[in-house]
Amino acid sequence: MTSTRTSPPPVVGPAPRELRARLRRARRRHHPGSLGEVLTDAYVVVLFVALYGWFAVAAIRDHLAAPQVTRTDPGDRYWIAVAAVTAGAGLAWWGLRLIGPLLVTPATQTWLVSSPVDRRAWLLPRFGGLVGGVTAGAGLLAVAAAFAGGLDRPADLGWSALAGLTCGATATGCAVIAQSARATPRWAGLLTVGLPAVGAAIAVLVVVGHAVGWSLPLPPVPLTAGVGLALLPVAVASTVRAHRQLARVDRAALTTGAQFANAATTAAVLLDPSLLAALVESRRWRAVGLVRGRRFRPGGRFPVLLQAEVRRLSRRRGALVGWAGALLTMYAVAVALPSAAGPAHVILAYLATGLLTGGLRAVSRSPGLRRSLGGNDILLRLTHLVLPGVGATLWYLATLPALRSVPGPLDAVLLPGVVTAAFWAGTRPPMRYGGAMVNTPFAMMPVDLVRQVLRGPDLVAALVVVQLLWS
């Protein structure tokens, strides 16, 4: 017997070009701004970045040309710079993986990504913009860094540009390839850990060698030439492979970084970094996953809370690694830039202490948590200040030989000041947006908003001034 049922016709997905045209028309109806306004905003942003970027490059170049810096060993300064760039590349790779790097908005996720549209053709403009933007940005940043380091010859700047371009293209292509995989590839995790580890190993070698009177020699040819030529085929291959893998970037991978990007945008617009810090903290604890519970030793509220804080910190390996990394950075700065070691000591001490104030921030920003823990607010906050205080003291004493042989009266001011600044920043209440405004010759200045944003760093700036005037 022959069946009379007929199968429905296959669903034909809409063309991506047609979808993009409809979206552009819809956006014009909701945002009637002209092209001239968009170009004006872009011009203001480019002018702002170029102006302050050139000011920073010129200031760094002048500082490196100062006599107190040029007296240091050129090999030490060169390899410390290599270590900093390597560690920075690892952090940039971590940032690319954190935001996607390809991502879509919630509306696109709901209405377009779930439809039978050609995924590769739909993502191709985003991929092209991402590769072009990151590659061009990395190239410009490499040229600016080379010029700030004192390189003037066109050949050196050209090799630096090639190294930056190939690094940017390689990182973007590899990040998209990793995003298209079902599970996180092992090589992606190794890059996240390996690049900062290599940078730290180079810094340790330079610091130890400087202590025993030995320095790494300068390479016969710039490393940027070798990096640029070695990564050129890798950049082309990874970009081509990433283009082929666009069709495999699924909906979950496209929306992973959207929440982080939205939180970063909201935090930047509202000048409230706690919005982004809360998301990073929640992701960090989700990555920890299941932990084994253990009983606390008997005692009062203070000993039990202190035990919980110690266990919580032991499960945050990133904070401990950052604390140790700040310690190594201090010695690297003392070797390469001894004239900036004093202010860097205060700033790095504050940053290292701030990494240990996670419990203090959680208790201070959650009235419900304080009520569930019991006791008064002062006791809870002082309890969660013990570990940051101990960590700041250990860090300060461990790095003090980089500045002076024995502690002095200045240290009796700076160390409590750093702990106070960390406590001041960690106990910052939620942002309020109804404060006083002051009319200045430039524009209206939200004084109360600036005061809340600078709570903590303002005290660090005062300590830096004290350090400069006292030493």
Side-chain angles (χ1 to χ4, degrees):
M1 182 177 180
T2 304
S3 175
T4 58
R5 298 180 59 184
T6 58
S7 59
V11 177
V12 179
R17 181 177 298 178
E18 181 184 356
L19 280 177
R20 282 193 287 270
R22 290 186 179 183
L23 283 176
R24 283 195 294 270
R25 288 196 296 269
R27 290 193 181 108
R28 290 195 193 100
R29 287 196 295 269
H30 290 285
H31 305 284
S34 63
L35 180 61
E37 294 176 353
V38 175
L39 294 178
T40 301
D41 295 340
Y43 169 76
V44 171
V45 172
V46 171
L47 181 63
F48 181 83
V49 173
L51 184 64
Y52 285 95
W54 175 253
F55 174 78
V57 169
I60 294 173
R61 185 181 175 88
D62 293 340
H63 181 75
L64 294 179
Q68 61 270 24
V69 177
T70 55
R71 283 196 294 267
T72 59
D73 189 275
D76 289 346
R77 282 189 279 120
Y78 184 87
W79 287 107
I80 288 294
V82 171
V85 171
T86 306
L91 294 178
W93 169 256
W94 174 76
L96 276 177
R97 294 285 298 127
L98 188 64
I99 63 174
L102 291 174
L103 53 88
V104 296
T105 62
T108 305
Q109 170 194 353
T110 303
W111 298 105
L112 296 179
V113 178
S114 58
S115 64
V117 66
D118 185 355
R119 185 68 55 85
R120 177 182 297 167
W122 170 254
L123 292 177
L124 187 58
R126 295 171 186 266
F127 175 69
L130 179 68
V131 172
V134 174
T135 303
L140 290 175
L141 190 61
V143 172
F147 186 76
L151 299 179
D152 294 312
R153 296 186 303 174
D156 294 332
L157 297 179
W159 286 123
S160 301
L162 178 63
L165 293 173
T166 54
C167 285
T170 302
T172 310
C174 292
V176 173
I177 294 172
Q179 189 179 14
S180 64
R182 296 291 180 185
T184 302
R186 187 176 181 182
W187 56 266
L190 290 177
L191 281 178
T192 306
V193 179
L195 288 174
V198 171
I202 296 174
V204 168
L205 189 61
V206 174
V207 170
V208 174
H210 178 81
V212 299
W214 174 79
S215 298
L216 286 172
L218 287 171
V221 295
L223 289 182
T224 52
V227 172
L229 293 176
L231 287 184
L232 185 58
V234 181
V236 175
S238 61
T239 304
V240 173
R241 175 75 182 280
H243 173 261
R244 293 175 179 172
Q245 294 291 104
L246 286 179
R248 297 188 177 183
V249 182
D250 57 15
R251 183 179 174 185
L254 288 172
T255 57
T256 300
Q259 188 182 10
F260 182 83
N262 292 334
T265 304
T266 306
V269 171
L270 298 180
L271 297 177
D272 189 0
S274 63
L275 298 175
L276 182 60
L279 177 61
V280 173
E281 190 78 9
S282 64
R283 285 194 172 193
R284 182 180 296 123
W285 286 114
R286 283 204 302 268
V288 173
L290 185 64
V291 297
R292 179 176 299 177
R294 290 177 295 171
R295 290 181 178 274
F296 294 117
R297 295 182 180 276
R301 181 175 285 108
F302 178 81
V304 171
L305 289 177
L306 192 58
Q307 293 177 60
E309 179 69 358
V310 171
R311 292 185 187 179
R312 192 194 61 80
L313 184 60
S314 66
R315 289 163 181 161
R316 279 192 60 193
R317 299 177 181 176
L320 300 178
V321 172
W323 185 88
L327 193 149
L328 177 60
T329 304
M330 181 60 233
Y331 276 96
V333 171
V335 171
L337 300 172
S339 58
H345 191 236
V346 178
I347 296 173
L348 289 173
Y350 170 73
L351 296 177
T353 307
L355 292 173
L356 308 180
T357 57
L360 181 65
R361 292 195 302 269
V363 168
S364 301
R365 293 171 186 172
S366 176
L369 179 60
R370 293 199 298 273
R371 285 194 297 270
S372 62
L373 293 176
N376 56 61
D377 293 350
I378 296 177
L379 174 65
L380 293 176
R381 286 169 176 159
L382 291 179
T383 302
H384 290 85
L385 185 62
V386 173
L387 281 187
V390 173
T393 304
L394 294 177
W395 192 95
Y396 197 93
L397 294 177
T399 55
L400 194 58
L403 299 176
R404 41 192 170 270
S405 55
V406 294
L410 177 61
D411 303 309
V413 176
L414 295 182
L415 178 56
V418 168
V419 178
T420 305
F423 178 80
W424 188 242
T427 56
R428 194 187 72 177
M431 294 286 287
R432 293 179 288 104
Y433 298 93
M437 301 279 289
V438 175
N439 190 8
T440 67
F442 303 99
M444 295 293 290
M445 181 68 70
V447 179
D448 188 63
L449 188 62
V450 173
R451 178 190 62 79
Q452 296 177 72
V453 173
L454 296 181
R455 176 167 168 158
D458 53 355
L459 186 53
V460 175
L463 293 174
V464 169
V465 174
V466 170
Q467 198 278 336
L468 292 175
L469 295 177
W470 199 318
S471 59

